[in-house]
Amino acid sequence: MAGKSESETTRLDDAARAGWLYYVVGDTQDEIARKLGVSRQSAQRLVSLAVSEQLIKFRLDHPIARCMELAQMIRAQFDLRMCEIVPSDPAAPFSIAGIAQAGAAEMERVLRSDESKIIAFGTGRALRACVEQLRPMECPQHTAVSLLGNMMLDGSATAYNVIIRFAERINCRHFPMPLPPLARTAHERELFQQQEPVKNILEIAEKADVTFVGIGEIGEAAPMLVDGFITHDEIRALTAAGAVGEITSWVYDKNGELIRGLTNDRVTSAPLHADPDHLRCGIAAGRQKVKAIRAAMKGRLINGLITNEATAEQLLK
């Protein structure tokens, strides 16, 4: 943006927002006009400007000034290795629209390396959406590994399994974990983790060069509760113990410290801990996830973040 006047920069910002709403969110020009508070003709011109200025490719190729500012502030406040903030839809400020494209772009940046990488994954709706945005690639030099089980308690596949779809998109060796994320008892967890294939997967996960995880909140909409792995009574016990979020089924408090006992005694996932030498990128957005995201950054459980404007604003409050 060097050499451009403030008014021209603002107009390009508006064009980028209009282009994002049109090409990513899928809004009509009438809807864009209403959201941006301009006439339909102005909305049409802004979308055309986004194209003529080459701001629009497959993904939005324009760093909106406010998004850049928020990313810099979050990086500085939480000492992150990376932070990517995407625009929020004014009509649905906490939706994950756009995050999938940003997550896919970061994954592709890693995949372009000729050097062999181990890429570890959590699971969840946001991560699955990112993987669906990946362009097909041939990456046999890389290895993908799951950090947590990909099975329900009855042996069926989880709804938002990521690793198999990821491997299909990029043609790489992959290691799904053939377990439920939580065992029924602590003893059952020990038996699971003594199995040779599981021990091998956990060893590979520990060597991951890059990690991508979703972030879940603790409450009535907690993924572990919705998916049937824990009960309402257990959610209440976790809340009473100070739990605010979970990553790969490991539950932690407002400082990003793991809760002692309770459901954490049954987690079969790879250990969750700080790793300053490698990127651990959290991908999440939503008002209900703000406490969980903030705590994960505070405790260094993640050192990278992809989220949207509205969530970033709340994180900085």
Side-chain angles (χ1 to χ4, degrees):
M1 306 301 295
K4 295 184 182 294
S5 67
E6 183 175 346
S7 61
E8 186 177 6
T9 298
T10 299
R11 183 158 178 78
L12 286 176
D13 283 351
D14 291 341
R17 289 181 185 275
W20 181 81
L21 289 169
Y22 188 79
Y23 289 102
V24 178
V25 177
D27 283 350
T28 65
Q29 291 177 355
D30 286 332
E31 290 170 328
I32 294 169
R34 176 175 54 79
K35 290 179 178 181
L36 298 184
V38 299
S39 67
R40 186 182 186 282
Q41 291 75 19
S42 293
Q44 185 178 22
R45 285 194 292 270
L46 287 171
V47 172
S48 297
L49 180 61
V51 175
S52 65
E53 290 292 323
Q54 297 184 341
L55 306 182
I56 297 296
K57 295 178 183 176
F58 178 72
R59 302 183 180 103
L60 185 61
D61 193 23
H62 178 81
I64 292 174
R66 181 55 177 162
C67 290
M68 292 181 66
E69 181 183 15
L70 288 169
Q72 290 170 350
M73 292 169 68
I74 289 176
R75 263 200 312 267
Q77 181 168 329
F78 295 99
D79 191 27
L80 301 183
R81 292 173 64 102
M82 63 81 64
C83 182
E84 180 75 18
I85 308 297
V86 304
S88 290
D89 179 355
F94 290 100
S95 83
I96 64 170
I99 292 177
Q101 288 83 353
E106 181 62 24
M107 292 176 188
E108 289 175 8
R109 183 190 67 79
V110 175
L111 293 170
R112 282 193 292 270
S113 172
D114 292 329
E115 182 182 349
S116 176
K117 300 284 187 183
I118 297 175
I119 308 167
F121 285 95
T123 188
R125 185 165 63 101
L127 276 183
R128 178 64 187 251
C130 294
V131 170
E132 292 297 336
Q133 290 294 326
L134 283 175
R135 64 196 71 183
M137 303 172 70
E138 289 293 322
C139 302
Q141 74 274 29
H142 299 316
T143 297
V145 61
S146 183
L147 294 170
L148 75 166
N150 307 112
M151 295 166 49
M152 302 296 286
L153 291 172
D154 64 0
S156 60
T158 53
Y160 297 111
N161 184 15
V162 172
I163 190 167
I164 293 176
R165 182 59 173 153
F166 177 82
E168 289 174 346
R169 301 289 282 183
I170 71 159
N171 188 27
C172 73
R173 194 178 187 200
H174 59 289
F175 292 83
M177 192 177 295
L179 297 175
L182 280 84
R184 291 182 176 87
T185 66
H187 178 64
E188 185 179 67
R189 170 197 173 184
E190 291 177 8
L191 293 176
F192 282 155
Q193 295 190 331
Q194 288 172 8
Q195 298 176 30
E196 195 63 31
V198 175
K199 290 169 65 176
N200 183 53
I201 290 168
L202 292 174
E203 288 176 2
I204 295 171
E206 187 64 26
K207 299 174 184 176
D209 298 292
V210 183
T211 298
F212 294 98
V213 295
I215 299 174
E217 72 273 24
I218 298 299
E220 293 304 306
M224 293 192 298
L225 175 63
V226 173
D227 290 342
F229 291 112
I230 62 176
T231 67
H232 289 277
D233 287 342
E234 287 174 317
I235 281 288
R236 285 190 283 270
L238 288 168
T239 302
V244 300
E246 63 89 10
I247 293 175
T248 60
S249 299
W250 290 104
V251 180
Y252 54 88
D253 65 16
K254 65 180 181 180
N255 295 313
E257 296 181 358
L258 296 184
I259 297 293
R260 291 183 177 276
L262 301 176
T263 60
N264 279 348
D265 283 345
R266 299 189 286 118
V267 175
T268 63
S269 309
L272 180 65
H273 53 75
D275 183 1
D277 297 327
H278 301 98
L279 175 63
R280 288 178 174 248
C281 182
I283 303 176
R287 188 187 305 275
Q288 75 280 10
K289 293 181 182 286
V290 169
K291 289 182 180 179
I293 297 171
R294 184 187 291 119
M297 293 189 293
K298 187 175 181 180
R300 308 296 295 160
L301 301 177
I302 59 172
N303 56 24
L305 177 66
I306 297 174
T307 190
N308 61 17
E309 274 182 287
T311 305
E313 297 275 8
Q314 292 295 314
L315 289 168
L316 291 166
K317 284 187 175 180

